[in-house]
Amino acid sequence: MSSRTKKYKQLNNKIPAIMFKLKEMMFGCLDVIIITGLIIAKNLHYGKQIAEYYNPYTLIIPIVCSILPLVGIFFLLKEEKRVRALFIFDLAVSLILFADTAYFRYFKDITSIGAVRNGALLGGVMSCLPSLIKFNDIAYFIDLIVLLPLIKMFAAYKKRKKYKLGGAVRVMLFLLVFGTGVMANGKCIYNFNIEQPLLLTTMSNKLFLTKVLGNFNYHTIDIYNYARNTIEASKPVSAETKQDIRTYLQGNQPSDSGSVLAGAGEGKNLIMIQVEALQQFAINKSVNGQEITPNLNRWINKSLYFDNYYYQVSAGNTSDAEFMSNNSLYPAASGSAYYRYSGNTLDSLPNKLRNEGYSTAAFHGYVESFWNRNIMYQTEGFDNFYGETSFNVDDTVGLGLSDKSFFEQSKVTIQGMEEPYFSFLVTLSSHYPFDGGAGYGDFNAGEYEGSLMGDYLKGIHYADQQLGLFLDELEEDGTLEDTIVVVYGDHSAIPKEYADQLYSFAGVENPTELDWQMLQEVPMFIHFPGNANSGVNHTYSGQMDLYPTLANIFNLECKYTFGKDILNSGSQKVIFRNGSFTDGNTFYMSGSNTYYDIATEQIVAETDQLKAAKEQAMNELNLSDNLLNHDLIGEGLEQTIPEE
Ligand code: GP9
Ligand code: MN
């Protein structure tokens, strides 16, 4: 027999053994393959349930990538344990997807740990659960019923045939599947983070995150953020820190004597309007012979106008502006306060007014869950939130419902509210990138036509027009006779990469970082019945100061505020989240650790006094963070604030 034939015969003899090994491996993995396939299918089914304006099949890659690392881990378990664990995993995924589906049908949002902790939200879903269940939800559970007997039969078959994955094979499969999954999923998340840099920590748009990364990744990120924030909050807060907070808050209480406009608004209605991307540089300016904001200019003239008012937002952007204006607490050091602190107890303006017998409502014509508003507005004390689904979206400009329709519809609701009321309106149409097109009307931005600045001017001109109509109507029908109106901008309009356009509009040559900072003002004005108290207040101030200022006007006691009453404190301090601050004379820019004299615009050396102010700014930010991270308002810190 030739050696060739010998080798061939030997190989031939090995074939049954190889075939057995292959079969053993295939049958050994079958439980994992089948249940993984079912879980992927269920996740896709869920994707279809929330599929508004997107194709759920784009989710296949992130779903597979996010599940693979866990599937890999299952290979480490021996046969029987693995099958049991897989079954439990399938059941858990099914329950989560089903709960998420019901929650979405009710809130148009994804469940989060914050939402689960907020019993009121779950109560809403539970109370009408039967109406939220649809027949096709059976897809989440049908396999589980069929699977049990099949698994048993299959296990008996494998035992009979002696198909079993050996230890070495299981470890190899674990390394392969787990490693591939971690790498592939990491790439999906990395790419997402490049495109939407802040979304993973701010969680501003949970729905979008789920639509791009899948349900599994969303929950993992939610759990990660929650755990990180909890760990931060669990670092014990010392008795000294608590005392420091108490001492600070007590020192920051307004003095009773000689208050300007104290109680001037007591018992009156309050309409507060936060205008998207409204900035000071557009006020009282014209282009091409046309005023950019003719209505705001007119209303400013008959109001108490603050022309040195800064936005102080951080990663939470619009929601930070809302948070500060209603709470006078600093935005979160990372992520968004509206996500991180939605489970806290807050001594917010709406809560305070509600305690005084006001009816309270928030209005915003966009997706309710955006910036976690549907949760945070309840925490802040709004009786009702009129979000996108409460409006008839009959006219759209830019991101969604037009300011025109928003104001028209909100007006009807506001006028049906029981008095006194607090209505908080957040506009939308003048949102970046200001591509409202024809919807914005025919404002001619002259030399700025075709640039981002030109588009902004069109957008803000449109917002001004709609706001003007709204205020004029409220004036004509007598609403303003017993209503105080507050209007302010939320944050920057022009991103830093387009700074040149802003400098050229503002006529700034050889810009410095101080010029940039000084251009970050937003207008704020308070209109009183009968145009009373009109005038211009030049105090350096910001969004942190609105609540204490209104608390004085409405005669409310607020004990947990870090801002100042602009009208009475005599202070010009404004602290920004990055540690920059001004005292009205000097501006400290934390990015370059530089002090500027505001009057001369020259750099000045650090003095002991400035150094102390810099440290105090950091200290105040820390105290506010501690108060929020440890939910000290909920703990009743004020009970222990010593009497003056
Ligand atoms: C949408 C709107 C936008 O609800 O408030 O938020 P922003 O992107 O400006 O932070
Ligand atoms: Mn905004």
Side-chain angles (χ1 to χ4, degrees):
M1 195 188 299
S2 73
S3 69
R4 212 165 158 199
T5 327
K6 211 172 163 187
K7 268 189 188 162
Y8 177 77
K9 265 206 156 175
Q10 273 170 358
L11 191 70
N12 225 8
N13 290 341
K14 277 186 187 162
I15 284 179
I18 295 172
M19 287 306 285
F20 181 81
K21 276 273 164 222
L22 278 175
K23 257 190 186 174
E24 182 183 47
M25 205 146 128
M26 214 185 74
F27 277 98
C29 293
L30 214 54
D31 49 346
V32 181
I33 294 170
I34 290 174
I35 296 188
T36 305
L38 287 168
I39 290 172
I40 291 170
K42 288 180 194 188
N43 269 279
L44 265 180
H45 178 69
Y46 170 73
K48 276 194 206 160
Q49 308 309 303
I50 63 163
E52 282 174 331
Y53 321 115
Y54 89 114
N55 173 5
Y57 292 103
T58 55
L59 272 172
I60 292 181
I61 292 173
I63 289 174
V64 173
C65 295
S66 60
I67 288 171
L68 278 186
L70 252 185
V71 170
I73 293 172
F74 284 116
F75 280 118
L76 290 176
L77 300 173
K78 279 189 184 159
E79 181 75 24
E80 268 166 36
K81 276 192 187 154
R82 188 178 66 233
V83 174
R84 218 174 301 143
L86 277 166
F87 186 81
I88 294 169
F89 179 50
D90 189 3
L91 176 68
V93 169
S94 308
L95 287 171
I96 292 170
L97 291 175
F98 171 69
D100 278 348
T101 306
Y103 189 84
F104 176 80
R105 287 185 190 134
Y106 191 83
F107 283 117
K108 291 271 176 284
D109 194 13
I110 319 292
T111 52
S112 61
I113 302 206
V116 171
R117 282 181 62 213
N118 187 329
L121 284 169
L122 287 190
V125 181
M126 293 312 279
S127 63
C128 51
L129 193 60
S131 65
L132 298 173
I133 300 174
K134 288 192 181 164
F135 181 73
N136 67 9
D137 294 340
I138 200 161
Y140 293 129
F141 300 103
I142 188 87
D143 64 314
L144 290 163
I145 305 158
V146 182
L147 218 54
L148 255 187
L150 279 181
I151 284 175
K152 283 204 168 146
M153 276 163 57
F154 187 56
Y157 172 76
K158 281 208 289 187
K159 212 171 179 181
R160 222 174 40 244
K161 291 276 182 185
K162 296 196 173 64
Y163 292 140
K164 202 171 152 199
L165 288 182
V169 178
R170 284 193 287 111
V171 170
M172 191 195 77
L173 284 170
F174 158 71
L175 290 174
L176 186 75
V177 178
F178 182 81
T180 313
V182 166
M183 280 193 305
N185 198 39
K187 180 92 176 93
C188 289
I189 296 176
Y190 175 81
N191 289 347
F192 179 82
N193 198 38
I194 296 279
E195 256 177 57
Q196 305 276 339
L198 288 174
L199 207 50
L200 291 179
T201 48
T202 62
M203 299 292 269
S204 62
N205 195 345
K206 304 200 284 294
L207 195 54
F208 178 72
L209 210 152
T210 311
K211 283 176 176 177
V212 180
L213 290 179
N215 183 282
F216 204 78
N217 270 326
Y218 160 75
H219 282 297
T220 311
I221 293 163
D222 180 48
I223 291 168
Y224 170 79
N225 279 327
Y226 182 79
R228 202 193 51 181
N229 297 340
T230 311
I231 290 167
E232 205 166 305
S234 69
K235 287 179 198 150
V237 53
S238 67
E240 286 102 293
T241 306
K242 280 191 188 177
Q243 189 52 45
D244 285 351
I245 299 174
R246 281 188 202 108
T247 311
Y248 173 82
L249 291 173
Q250 192 193 355
N252 204 34
Q253 292 285 303
S255 74
D256 293 340
S257 55
S259 296
V260 177
L261 293 181
E266 200 171 343
K268 295 197 166 29
N269 301 316
L270 171 61
I271 297 179
M272 187 154 108
I273 307 166
Q274 178 172 303
V275 182
E276 177 61 37
L278 172 62
Q279 280 215 256
Q280 176 84 5
F281 65 76
I283 300 296
N284 286 322
K285 293 270 167 51
S286 295
V287 288
N288 204 32
Q290 260 183 297
E291 273 183 282
I292 301 163
T293 57
N295 295 288
L296 281 161
N297 301 347
R298 192 161 50 81
W299 276 92
I300 277 169
N301 271 334
K302 39 189 189 174
S303 303
L304 178 51
Y305 172 46
F306 298 85
D307 71 346
N308 265 322
Y309 193 83
Y310 285 84
Y311 71 78
Q312 294 164 279
V313 304
S314 188
N317 221 27
T318 305
S319 67
D320 279 351
E322 297 181 19
F323 182 70
M324 280 183 280
S325 304
N326 282 292
N327 295 282
S328 190
L329 295 169
Y330 287 102
S334 67
S336 73
Y338 260 35
Y339 171 74
R340 286 184 65 169
Y341 305 127
S342 59
N344 279 35
T345 298
L346 293 171
D347 202 37
S348 319
L349 176 60
N351 267 325
K352 274 268 132 75
L353 287 171
R354 186 157 72 173
N355 289 346
E356 297 297 315
Y358 277 62
S359 40
T360 57
F363 301 77
H364 180 58
Y366 197 56
V367 185
E368 280 79 352
S369 61
F370 203 86
W371 284 126
N372 214 24
R373 285 183 175 105
N374 51 350
I375 299 175
M376 193 48 146
Y377 281 163
Q378 296 197 21
T379 305
E380 291 184 325
F382 289 105
D383 299 329
N384 289 304
F385 169 27
Y386 300 97
E388 190 180 46
T389 53
S390 304
F391 288 91
N392 175 13
V393 185
D394 53 357
D395 183 36
T396 57
V397 171
L399 277 191
L401 180 67
S402 69
D403 284 355
K404 177 177 165 39
S405 182
F406 170 69
F407 278 125
E408 281 168 2
Q409 295 183 59
S410 300
K411 186 172 151 267
V412 176
T413 309
I414 291 170
Q415 294 186 328
M417 281 171 75
E418 202 176 308
E419 295 193 44
Y421 55 72
F422 169 34
S423 300
F424 177 48
L425 284 75
V426 179
T427 74
L428 184 67
S429 296
S430 44
H431 193 279
Y432 180 85
F434 322 114
D435 52 2
Y440 281 158
D442 53 7
F443 182 77
N444 185 338
E447 59 183 296
Y448 304 101
E449 277 289 330
S451 67
L452 180 78
M453 177 57 87
D455 289 348
Y456 172 66
L457 298 179
K458 285 174 193 286
I460 209 65
H461 179 80
Y462 167 83
D464 168 86
Q465 204 170 33
Q466 306 317 320
L467 179 62
L469 281 171
F470 176 68
L471 294 179
D472 289 348
E473 280 172 26
L474 292 181
E475 186 175 50
E476 275 155 33
D477 68 20
T479 304
L480 296 194
E481 280 163 25
D482 51 5
T483 302
I484 287 182
V485 177
V486 177
V487 176
Y488 64 91
D490 63 351
H491 53 68
S492 72
I494 307 295
K496 200 122 192 210
E497 56 263 42
Y498 295 94
D500 285 353
Q501 296 188 21
L502 179 55
Y503 294 136
S504 115
F505 177 86
V508 176
E509 282 167 18
N510 308 318
T512 64
E513 60 178 335
L514 180 67
D515 289 311
W516 170 259
Q517 183 56 50
M518 300 300 269
L519 283 166
Q520 301 313 306
E521 290 176 333
V522 292
M524 192 277 273
F525 67 83
I526 306 176
H527 179 266
F528 292 85
N531 303 335
N533 312 312
S534 57
V536 185
N537 182 311
H538 304 300
T539 309
Y540 278 79
S541 51
Q543 290 160 337
M544 286 289 290
D545 305 327
L546 186 54
Y547 177 25
T549 305
L550 291 176
N552 169 59
I553 292 171
F554 282 83
N555 204 12
L556 305 168
E557 187 187 37
C558 52
K559 289 185 167 174
Y560 294 104
T561 52
F562 281 75
K564 60 178 185 280
D565 171 359
I566 311 172
L567 298 168
N568 292 288
S569 73
S571 160
Q572 301 220 71
K573 187 170 67 182
V574 185
I575 297 172
F576 299 86
R577 182 65 253 191
N578 60 7
S580 296
F581 72 89
T582 182
D583 58 7
N585 299 312
T586 309
F587 228 116
Y588 169 71
M589 302 298 294
S590 64
S592 60
N593 194 26
T594 312
Y595 298 89
Y596 290 87
D597 180 275
I598 295 176
T600 63
E601 295 186 22
Q602 296 302 307
I603 294 177
V604 291
E606 185 175 68
T607 60
D608 286 348
Q609 212 186 349
L610 286 172
K611 192 168 180 228
K614 176 169 86 175
E615 279 160 13
Q616 178 57 16
M618 291 312 292
N619 185 39
E620 285 182 33
L621 290 163
N622 268 331
L623 294 178
S624 175
D625 289 347
N626 270 313
L627 181 90
L628 285 163
N629 287 340
H630 301 284
D631 193 12
L632 295 181
I633 301 178
E635 200 184 272
L637 189 77
E638 102 273 15
Q639 307 299 336
T640 44
I641 294 179
E643 290 299 319
E644 280 178 69

